[in-house]
Each structure stands twice: as structure tokens, then as C-alpha cells.
Amino acid sequence: MIRFTFAVFLLALGYLVCVEGNPCCSEPCQNRGVCTAMGTDKYECDCTRTGFFGPNCTTPEFLTWVKVSLKPSPNAVHYILTHFKGFWNIINNISFLRDAIMRYVLTSRSHLIDSPPTFNVDYGYKSWEAYSNLSYYTRSLPPVPEDCPTPMGVEGKKELPDAKVLAEKLLMRRQFIPDPQGTSLMFAFFAQHFTHQFFKSDMKRGPAFIQAKGHGVDLNHIYGETLDRQHKLRLFKDGKLKYQVLEGEIYPPTVKEVGVEMHYPPHVPDSHRFAVGHEAFGLVPGLMMYATIWLREHNRVCDVLKEVHPDWDDERLFQTTRLILIGETIKIVIEDYVQHLSGYNFKLKFDPELLFNQRFQYQNRISSEFNTLYHWHPLMPDSFHIEEKDYSYKQFVFNTSVVTEHGINNLVESFTKQIAGRVRAVCTNCCRKHSD
Ligand code: HEM
Ligand SMILES: *[C@@H]1O[C@H](CO)[C@@H](O)[C@H](O)[C@H]1NC(C)=O
Ligand SMILES: *[C@@H]1O[C@H](CO)[C@@H](O)[C@H](O)[C@H]1NC(C)=O
Ligand SMILES: *[C@@H]1O[C@H](CO)[C@@H](O)[C@H](O)[C@H]1NC(C)=O
Ligand SMILES: *[C@@H]1O[C@H](CO)[C@@H](O)[C@H](O)[C@H]1NC(C)=O
């Protein structure tokens, strides 16, 4: 009996020891309340502007209660938006309704994001450093405090599994599953090309740091991240970018010609080392295809602008064209790319004026979580089918000849025909609910 009591005592002690440490490790604050430890056994939740109160920010304020009760669930909203095609065809045709819904889409989405940005890998509380140091990816969720019983806080194993094992178990796709929405490789490479302007980790500092200090759609993947790189890529005539002509077609210039750093393995000959804004775009012919398309587009817009403004100098033509390409990119992203991803029958609209009478903030900060979730490698097929040829990965990567041999038109045609994989891993049961 005594021994039993002693054992219980030890267990209780163990429990106390376990609970001691940082009480925020169990993430007691709900509804985006912020936890602050008060010594080793107490904590406080700051529920400011969460719409909730109480020690754990769990009790809704009256207005929150009304809103929560009246608001349709996200699943219901999604269902409505992805069904009733006839209804949406009418809405899409009535411009003030379409505008009002699009305005709501933009403002409600932006309210989901903390702004100014909050945490990063080194700061689980708000600080000037976390706000102002643009070298960090921000974090939507604070990092788990250092002094927690387990790496995940209080749950899970004492030690995290090896990252390699985790990646293989969770992320690696074994079997190609064609995307049920019919997504093409043209879309997949667009995703990769577009997102690499802001998912650009600084491997010297580590994966918590970002090289793309613009944190958004600044087209640094076309123009270079630094002014030095931009200048090397520019022709300094009529606002244009440097280019070369191969068999009558326009392609990016070579590394040798412009002298910017690009990542190519030693076996790639000088004549095939194309130079573009992003150092790594020689890796995938799909990326080099888009880089070539945007290079051509930049120089085309320069011609149009010069025609309208013959008095503008090179600098003004270049800068204005860059702004125009940013606008074109965002239009494509909203009206084609996000439209496809969403599956909505509501027709999304790119129109900056929708927000001119709204309170809306335009700052952006890229978060680590966003980057992690955007590793859409399962979109990639087992091999790449271009015209009559089939390329294995070995033949495809770092092979810019694929771009010049086939030419942009044929690449676009082939990549548009080939179906991409679905992103979500398919486990036997756990994903079934979400896929409906
Ligand atoms: C043949 C196709 C592709 C190849 C060979 C490839 C290869 C790679 C490699 C080697 C990395 C660096 C990994 C590391 O640093 O640990 C990477 C990162 C990444 N990839 Fe891909 N990838 C491909 C397609 C895609 C596609 C279609 C997407 C779609 C969005 C994508 C999204 C990303 C993202 C978001 C990162 C992280 C970038 C960063 O943080 O700097 N990749 N990929
Ligand atoms: C707050 O959360 C803690 C830890 O999860 C729990 O023990 C406590 O009962 C909660 N308090 C209230 C008032 O809900
Ligand atoms: C209404 O929408 C349909 C289908 O989206 C379209 O074909 C038609 O031209 C539109 N009508 C008007 C008046 O805009
Ligand atoms: C941002 O933080 C990193 C890591 O602590 C540091 O090396 C760098 O100097 C900081 N940058 C600025 C501009 O303060
Ligand atoms: C690269 O692509 C070219 C052109 O399609 C092809 O002929 C060549 O075999 C590829 N190179 C490698 C190393 O596979």
C-alpha cells in the first residue's frame, strides 16, 4: 500500500514536473488569443479584438455569437460557389453584383491574415525586429516555445522524427494520380514560375529566411532581385531586356554574355546557359519556357509604349513596362489561375478600383507555412511528353535544349495537353471527407 501511494506520488510529481515549464506550451488560448506565461504555472490569454473573452478566449461576445450563428459554414459557402452554375451565370452578368461579391471575397480573405505581420522563427511574441526584418519569412502561428516538454508543445513524441523520414512518409508521392479537375502541366509550371518570386529561401541563413525581400509579386524572377542583376539583364535601349535570336526566335541571353550568376551543373555548355531573373530557372524547361514568354512580353510592351510615348527615355519605358507586367501577372493569377484552383462558378475579377472605397492594406509578408504548403511537387508527372518525345527527369532537368529544340509554341501546346498530378496525398480514409 505504501509502495502504491509512493508510486502515485511519483507519478503526480512527474506530472507536475511535466506541466512545469512554460504553460503556453499547451496552447491554451483559443480563437487567435495570444498566450503569455506568468511564471511557470500561470498564463494569460490576450483576447483583444478576437471577439471572444474569458481565461482561454473561448466565450463569444454577443456580436460574435450573432455572427457565428448566422454565418454559413465555410463548407456551405464553398458548396454554393462551386454549384448552381445557372444562378452564377446570371450573377456574373450583373456587374454591380459581381463587383460587390468580388469586393467581399478580397476583403474577407485579407481579414484572415494578421497585418502588420507577427511572428517568425526567432520571435513568438510581437517585436520590432520581427516586424521590420524582411530577411525572415513571417509565421502565422508562433513557434513552439523552446522550453516545452515535447517539440510539439506538450503532445507527441519527445523527439521529432528525422526530417528525411518525415518527408518520405508524408510528402513523397509514390504513384502518379491525374488531377480530377484536369489541371495541365502548363498550369503546374505557371505555379512554379509564379511562386518562386516569393518562395525563395535563403539557404545560407537557413529555411526560415527569405531572399526575396519584396515579399510579393514584384517580378524579381524576371528582373532580378538586386539592382545590379537587373542592370546586367537590361539592354538599356527602349526599356528592353537583353535577348538572343536562335533560328529566328527570341530567347534569354547567355550567362556568358550578361555575366549574372545562374545555377547550372558543369556538363551544361555555355551556349545553353540562359540567364534570367531567377538564378535557378535553368533547372526546369517549364520555367525557362515561362521566362522566355515573359521576356518576349516585356519587349513587346516596350515597343507599344514607345509608339505611344516616343519621348520617353529607356528608364521610363523599362519601369512602366515592369508595372504593366505586374498588372498582367496579377490579372492572370486571379482570373485564370485562382479561378481554376477555386473551382468556383462565380467569375473572379481583377479590378484594383474595387478596393478604392474600402479600408484595405496593401502590405504583404510571405509566411513559412505558405511556403511549406506550396510544395506542389506531386503535380509533376512521371515523364514529360513533348511533341512525339518522352523525357525522363534525367533528360529533362537542366536541359535548356528542350526549350530551343521544340520552341515555345510546341512546348505550350504539349504542356497544355498533358495532365498534371493531384496535389493532395491520398490516404485510404483520412482525406475522403475533405475531398468531397
Ligand atoms: C520538374 C519539376 C521540379 C523540380 C525538379 C523541382 C525541384 C525543386 C528543388 C530541388 C527544390 C529545392 C529543395 C530544397 O531546397 O530543399 C524545390 C523547392 C521548391 N519547389 Fe520545386 N521542383 C519542381 C516543380 C515544382 C512545382 C511544379 C512547384 C509548384 C508550386 C514547386 C514548388 C516548390 C517550392 C514552393 C519550393 C521551395 C522554394 C524555396 O523555399 O526556395 N516545385 N523544388
Ligand atoms: C482554460 O484552459 C485550460 C487548459 O486547457 C483548462 O484547464 C481550463 O479549464 C480552461 N478554463 C476555462 C475557463 O475554460
Ligand atoms: C451572360 O452570360 C453568358 C454565359 O456566361 C454569356 O454567354 C452571355 O454573353 C452573357 N450575357 C451578357 C448580356 O453579358
Ligand atoms: C535580420 O536578422 C538576421 C538574423 O538574425 C540578421 O543576420 C540580419 O542582420 C537582420 N537584418 C537586418 C537588416 O537587421
Ligand atoms: C536534352 O534535350 C535534347 C533536345 O530535346 C535531347 O536531344 C537531349 O538528349 C537531352 N539531353 C540529355 C542529357 O538528356
Side-chain angles (χ1 to χ4, degrees):
M1 184 64 196
I2 287 173
R3 203 180 288 164
F4 178 70
T5 315
F6 187 61
V8 170
F9 172 74
L10 275 185
L11 266 178
L13 190 71
Y15 178 70
L16 280 177
V17 169
C18 186
V19 170
E20 232 176 77
N22 190 334
C24 289
C25 289
S26 64
E27 293 178 27
C29 310
Q30 307 300 304
N31 298 305
R32 303 225 260 171
V34 174
C35 187
T36 306
M38 310 291 279
T40 52
D41 57 345
K42 284 206 205 77
Y43 63 88
E44 253 178 35
C45 295
D46 182 348
C47 312
T48 307
R49 288 178 61 82
T50 60
F52 292 81
F53 63 97
N56 299 330
C57 314
T58 43
T59 318
E61 288 162 8
F62 179 68
L63 263 177
T64 310
W65 178 81
V66 172
K67 266 189 221 155
V68 169
S69 321
L70 292 180
K71 208 175 174 177
S73 73
N75 280 345
V77 173
H78 187 82
Y79 186 87
I80 293 166
L81 281 162
T82 52
H83 291 75
F84 313 113
K85 203 165 169 66
F87 166 76
W88 287 113
N89 278 346
I90 296 166
I91 300 281
N92 293 339
N93 267 338
I94 304 172
S95 64
F96 84 92
L97 282 179
R98 184 181 172 207
D99 287 358
I101 294 171
M102 191 62 210
R103 197 176 290 121
Y104 176 76
V105 168
L106 291 168
T107 50
S108 64
R109 291 276 162 164
S110 82
H111 287 152
L112 298 175
I113 297 164
D114 276 314
S115 184
T118 48
F119 315 111
N120 66 35
V121 69
D122 290 328
Y123 294 92
Y125 49 90
K126 289 178 190 177
S127 68
W128 181 260
E129 184 62 20
Y131 163 70
S132 66
N133 190 328
L134 298 175
S135 301
Y136 289 94
Y137 283 107
T138 190
R139 290 272 185 104
S140 308
L141 299 172
V144 178
E146 295 278 347
D147 49 353
C148 290
T150 72
M152 288 170 70
V154 291
E155 305 268 328
K157 301 212 166 127
K158 282 270 170 209
E159 265 177 55
L160 288 177
D162 183 49
K164 194 159 178 256
V165 173
L166 206 63
E168 274 171 14
K169 281 213 161 147
L170 271 176
L171 300 176
M172 196 169 88
R173 83 130 168 85
R174 285 168 187 82
Q175 193 205 346
F176 177 81
I177 302 157
D179 177 58
Q181 289 183 38
T183 301
S184 69
L185 282 195
M186 197 63 192
F187 175 95
F189 290 132
F190 186 93
Q192 189 184 14
H193 182 267
F194 170 70
T195 60
H196 276 46
Q197 70 188 297
F198 46 77
F199 298 140
K200 203 170 176 216
S201 300
D202 185 342
M203 285 314 169
K204 286 195 200 94
R205 283 204 170 111
F209 294 91
I210 187 169
Q211 265 182 304
K213 305 283 154 42
H215 285 264
V217 185
D218 60 3
L219 268 43
N220 71 72
H221 60 330
I222 298 174
Y223 301 110
E225 173 64 22
T226 63
L227 192 57
D228 176 61
R229 194 176 175 94
Q230 181 205 108
H231 282 181
K232 285 176 173 162
L233 292 168
R234 280 171 62 177
L235 191 62
F236 286 111
K237 188 171 182 296
D238 300 341
K240 289 188 177 178
L241 292 170
K242 284 182 189 154
Y243 61 93
Q244 61 173 323
V245 181
L246 298 171
E247 293 179 35
E249 301 251 304
I250 288 175
Y251 291 101
T254 60
V255 170
K256 202 160 189 177
E257 194 201 327
V258 300
V260 301
E261 170 86 7
M262 290 289 292
H263 306 321
Y264 286 104
H267 72 262
V268 179
D270 281 349
S271 61
H272 289 100
R273 292 173 183 245
F274 291 167
V276 297
H278 195 297
E279 298 85 340
F281 279 5
L283 172 67
V284 181
L287 293 174
M288 197 50 82
M289 170 191 71
Y290 272 110
T292 308
I293 291 172
W294 283 114
L295 167 75
R296 293 177 184 183
E297 177 62 5
H298 178 95
N299 288 353
R300 183 192 72 84
V301 172
C302 285
D303 282 336
V304 174
L305 276 182
K306 194 180 154 76
E307 186 89 10
V308 185
H309 300 284
D311 54 319
W312 281 9
D313 64 359
D314 166 76
E315 184 69 15
R316 187 158 191 188
L317 287 167
F318 170 83
Q319 298 295 351
T320 308
T321 300
R322 181 176 187 164
L323 275 185
I324 289 170
L325 262 70
I326 290 173
E328 289 178 350
T329 300
I330 300 175
K331 183 168 172 78
I332 293 167
V333 166
I334 291 179
E335 296 191 358
D336 296 312
Y337 180 84
V338 175
Q339 183 77 60
H340 172 77
L341 273 179
S342 69
Y344 291 173
N345 288 323
F346 170 64
K347 206 164 160 219
L348 299 175
K349 185 178 181 189
F350 168 62
D351 180 0
E353 287 190 37
L354 290 176
L355 298 170
F356 284 4
N357 60 355
Q358 300 286 301
R359 281 186 294 169
F360 192 81
Q361 66 82 29
Y362 292 88
Q363 290 190 33
N364 197 33
R365 202 69 66 89
I366 301 298
S367 71
S368 271
E369 290 97 334
F370 192 22
N371 186 349
T372 303
L373 291 171
Y374 232 115
H375 281 65
W376 288 358
H377 295 110
L379 280 169
M380 289 293 101
D382 291 325
S383 67
F384 301 86
H385 196 70
I386 305 168
E387 293 188 88
E388 298 311 308
K389 278 194 183 163
D390 216 39
Y391 291 89
S392 67
Y393 277 80
K394 203 163 170 289
Q395 296 167 320
F396 194 64
V397 296
F398 286 121
N399 191 349
T400 50
S401 309
V402 173
V403 180
T404 46
E405 287 270 312
H406 296 281
I408 301 299
N409 283 355
N410 290 322
L411 283 182
V412 170
E413 202 170 314
S414 297
F415 290 153
T416 306
K417 280 186 195 143
Q418 191 171 352
I419 301 293
R422 72 191 280 180
V423 169
R424 202 182 326 105
V426 186
C427 37
T428 39
N429 240 328
C430 59
C431 303
R432 192 55 50 79
K433 221 171 97 199
H434 300 285
S435 65
D436 291 339

